[in-house]
């Protein structure tokens, strides 16, 4: 079996007397799509913050390509190729859609401010490469027609796609998406699933926090379930769907939120 690209081992984070993430362990193999699910307050976003260096763990470690990255600042973790989006939208409203995506290209650009200020040939070539890369990513997520519009003029669903495009512009090896379908229409969600599959085919590894159970069941190779910061289950979507402990953890959630997670009662109408 292929060795994990990203490993989380006994990861724990406490805030005073509250344990937000409790000894969570799992691995993500190259080109795998892993979904992180759980009720509200289960510790999912805190887990992302620990993996990406926005928070320091109380104990435990994160390893990337076999090397410990725990304690590295978030920008160095991103420079390694571990890139994330956020649960709450972060877009630059006064910049164009294309300019927002260009911001994400800084991870792989090589020329500095001095080269750009002097308009040296290397800087001009790189500017052209960045512009082309931004347009390609926007085409991938379906926003090519909005490239020259101000980001603030996009509806919320398209702003979510813009944030994804900016993350993709960084050319990540591992992409962590925090609720990527929030605010998307059914058609945009379907398109996003297609984008995710295409990214995997192109070599990207994905870890996704998601509340839309249809997306999880259809798009993930494996599912990790958190409840009160603890990992309570891990496995293929079909197995997780039938797990009694997972179903019990979700019983307090809205039935519509649960989607296809809870099996229908025997004899119930389809």
């Amino acid at each position: 079996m292929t060795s994990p690209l990203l490993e989380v081992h006994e990861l724990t984070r406490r805030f005073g007397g509250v344990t937000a993430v409790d000894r969570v362990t799992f691995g993500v193999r190259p080109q795998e799509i892993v979904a992180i699910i759980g009720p509200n307050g289960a510790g999912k976003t805190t887990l992302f913050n620990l993996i990406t260096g926005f928070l320091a763990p109380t104990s435990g470690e994160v390893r990337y390509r076999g090397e410990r990255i725990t304690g590295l600042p978030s920008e160095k973790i991103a420079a390694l190729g571990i890139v994330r989006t956020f649960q709450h939208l972060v877009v630059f409203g006064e910049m164009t859609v294309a300019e927002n995506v260009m911001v994400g290209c800084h991870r792989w650009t090589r020329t500095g401010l001095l080269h750009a200020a002097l308009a040296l040939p290397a800087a001009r070539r790189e500017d052209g490469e960045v512009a082309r890369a931004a347009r390609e990513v926007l085409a991938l997520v379906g926003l090519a027609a909005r490239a020259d519009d101000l980001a603030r003029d996009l509806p919320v669903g398209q702003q979510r796609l813009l944030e994804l495009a900016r993350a993709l512009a960084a050319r990540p090896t591992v992409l962590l998406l925090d609720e990527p379908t929030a605010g998307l229409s059914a058609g945009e969600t379907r398109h996003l699933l297609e984008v995710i599959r295409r990214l995997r085919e192109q070599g990207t590894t994905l870890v996704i926090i998601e509340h839309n159970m249809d997306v999880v069941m259809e798009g993930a190779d494996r599912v990790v379930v958190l409840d009160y910061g603890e990992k309570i289950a891990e496995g293929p979507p079909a197995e997780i769907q039938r797990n009694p402990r997972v179903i019990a953890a979700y019983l307090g959630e809205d039935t519509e939120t649960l989607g296809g997670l809870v099996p229908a009662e025997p004899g119930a109408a389809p």
Side-chain angles (χ1 to χ4, degrees):
M1 182 178 292
T2 307
S3 299
L5 179 63
L6 180 70
E7 299 171 86
V8 171
H9 180 68
E10 292 287 314
L11 205 58
T12 299
R13 173 69 191 203
R14 298 187 184 93
F15 297 95
V18 177
T19 301
V21 174
D22 189 7
R23 297 170 297 172
V24 171
T25 296
F26 65 94
V28 184
R29 294 185 291 275
Q31 292 182 257
E32 189 175 25
I33 301 174
V34 173
I36 310 292
I37 70 170
N40 292 329
K44 303 181 294 294
T45 295
T46 300
L47 177 63
F48 266 26
N49 288 338
L50 295 171
I51 292 172
T52 54
F54 285 85
L55 279 176
T58 304
S59 61
E61 67 175 12
V62 182
R63 300 179 73 86
Y64 175 62
R65 300 188 186 275
E67 299 292 329
R68 178 185 169 96
I69 62 171
T70 313
L72 291 179
S74 57
E75 62 270 19
K76 288 194 175 181
I77 291 175
L80 291 173
I82 302 174
V83 178
R84 67 170 297 181
T85 63
F86 293 85
Q87 181 179 4
H88 301 291
L89 280 169
V90 180
V91 297
F92 305 111
E94 299 303 316
M95 296 169 63
T96 68
V97 169
E99 287 168 345
N100 267 265
V101 177
M102 290 177 192
V103 170
C105 296
H106 75 277
R107 188 177 80 82
W108 51 266
T109 53
R110 296 169 297 279
T111 57
L113 291 175
L114 180 60
H115 287 77
L118 297 175
L120 296 179
R124 291 198 299 271
R125 285 194 299 272
E126 191 167 83
D127 286 346
E129 184 180 358
V130 166
R132 285 191 298 274
R135 299 280 174 168
E136 289 171 2
V137 171
L138 286 172
L140 177 64
V141 302
L143 290 178
R146 304 298 303 267
D148 298 319
D149 295 341
L150 291 178
R152 69 184 183 193
D153 294 334
L154 296 182
V156 172
Q158 290 189 350
Q159 287 188 20
R160 183 73 63 182
L161 293 172
L162 173 57
E163 188 176 38
L164 171 61
R166 188 173 58 214
L168 292 177
R171 299 177 178 174
T173 304
V174 179
L175 180 59
L176 290 82
L177 304 177
D178 196 343
E179 298 193 27
T181 68
L184 299 189
S185 67
E188 288 168 337
T189 297
R190 174 62 52 186
H191 176 68
L192 179 64
L193 267 174
E194 294 172 0
V195 171
I196 287 171
R197 293 191 185 105
R198 201 174 313 156
L199 290 171
R200 190 253 297 276
E201 291 170 1
Q202 293 172 356
T204 305
T205 301
L206 296 107
V207 186
I208 304 171
I209 293 174
E210 186 52 68
H211 280 290
N212 186 324
M213 289 302 124
D214 291 334
V215 171
V216 171
M217 296 301 153
E218 186 176 345
D221 299 312
R222 193 156 44 90
V223 181
V224 173
V225 188
L226 300 184
D227 189 30
Y228 292 105
E230 177 189 359
K231 187 182 83 171
I232 63 170
E234 178 180 353
E239 178 182 305
I240 293 299
Q241 190 176 28
R242 299 188 298 268
N243 187 300
R245 193 173 180 189
V246 176
I247 294 170
Y250 271 94
L251 285 179
E253 294 287 318
D254 185 88
T255 304
E256 185 176 343
T257 301
L258 293 176
L261 184 63
V262 180
E265 293 292 332

